[in-house]
Amino acid sequence: MDEELRTLTERLRAESGGSPAFGRLVAAGDHDELAEVLTGPGQPLWARELAAFRLGVAGDRRAFEALVLLLNHRDPPRCASAAYALARLGDPRTARAAAALATNELRVAYALHPVRLLTELHAPESVPALITTLRRRLRPHDPYRRVALACVEGLGTLGDPRAAPVLNAALAHPALAEAAVRALKRLPS
C-alpha cells in the first residue's frame, strides 16, 4: 500500500468509526461501485473522499469533480489527498481547475495545495497562476505567507524566466527572501 493511501485510510478509518462500509470501500475493486459512492445520495464525506481518491489514482476521470471540491476544502488533509490523486488522474482539466482555485482571492486561505499541485503538474497554466498568486501575497502584512512561500518555491522548481520580476519583488520580504534567492538561481540566465 502506498504511503498516501495508508495515511488516507488511517485518517478516514477514524472518521468513519471503523464502519463496515469503510471496510467495503477500502477493499472494493470495482470502479463502478466506487463511482456510485460519488453520486449516491446521503454518502458521508469520508466515503466520497475515499472513493474519489481511489478512482483518481487509478486514472478514472469520474473522480475529477469530487477531487476538485476536496482540493478546495477547509481541511488541509483532504486538500492534500485530493492534490495527490489529481496529480495522478491525468485529466486535462486539472491544471485549469487548480489555477482557478490558486488565484481565487476569496478562497486564498485554501490555496496552498492548489499551488503545490500546479508546481507538480508543470502545466502551461502553472507559471501564470503562481505569479498572480504570489504578486497578491506581497502586500504588507499579508497573512498567507505559506501560500506565498509555496509560490516562490514552485516558481523556482518550474524555472520559467517570466517569474523573475515577481521573485525579485519577493526578495524584499524577509519570510520569502531566502527562498526567492534560491528560486532566482534556478531560472535561466
Side-chain angles (χ1 to χ4, degrees):
M1 179 182 291
D2 123 322
E3 181 63 23
E4 288 294 324
L5 180 57
R6 187 188 64 71
T7 301
L8 175 80
T9 54
E10 285 176 7
R11 178 172 55 81
L12 296 182
R13 179 178 289 113
E15 193 174 318
S16 73
S19 77
F22 173 80
R24 282 192 304 277
L25 280 177
V26 169
D30 180 14
H31 287 191
D32 290 336
E33 180 182 347
L34 293 170
E36 285 176 22
V37 172
L38 297 180
T39 59
Q43 294 292 332
L45 183 57
W46 64 260
R48 292 183 193 279
E49 181 180 1
L50 181 56
F53 182 90
R54 293 204 48 224
L55 288 169
V57 297
D60 190 318
R61 292 186 180 171
R62 291 178 288 183
F64 177 76
E65 287 84 5
L67 289 171
V68 170
L69 288 172
L70 290 165
L71 182 63
N72 195 33
H73 198 275
R74 68 182 177 276
D75 186 13
R78 290 196 202 287
C79 300
S81 69
Y84 180 87
L86 281 165
R88 283 140 191 85
L89 179 59
D91 192 301
R93 300 171 291 175
T94 300
R96 193 169 48 252
L101 293 174
T103 59
N104 182 343
E105 274 300 290
L106 299 176
R107 302 289 292 173
V108 69
Y110 311 110
L112 181 62
H113 292 285
V115 164
R116 289 178 177 164
L117 177 58
L118 285 166
T119 301
E120 186 174 352
L121 293 174
H122 290 264
E125 296 89 347
S126 297
V127 171
L130 296 184
I131 288 171
T132 297
T133 303
L134 178 57
R135 187 175 295 122
R136 293 173 180 166
R137 305 285 60 86
L138 296 179
R139 294 184 304 247
H141 311 295
D142 185 84
Y144 304 108
R145 285 291 166 220
R146 290 184 63 209
V147 173
L149 183 58
C151 288
V152 169
E153 292 169 347
L155 289 168
T157 297
L158 295 170
D160 190 303
R162 293 176 292 173
V166 74
L167 289 172
N168 279 312
L171 292 171
H173 297 266
L176 303 174
E178 188 177 319
V181 167
R182 286 193 305 271
L184 284 163
K185 286 181 182 176
R186 297 181 79 179
L187 300 184
S189 306

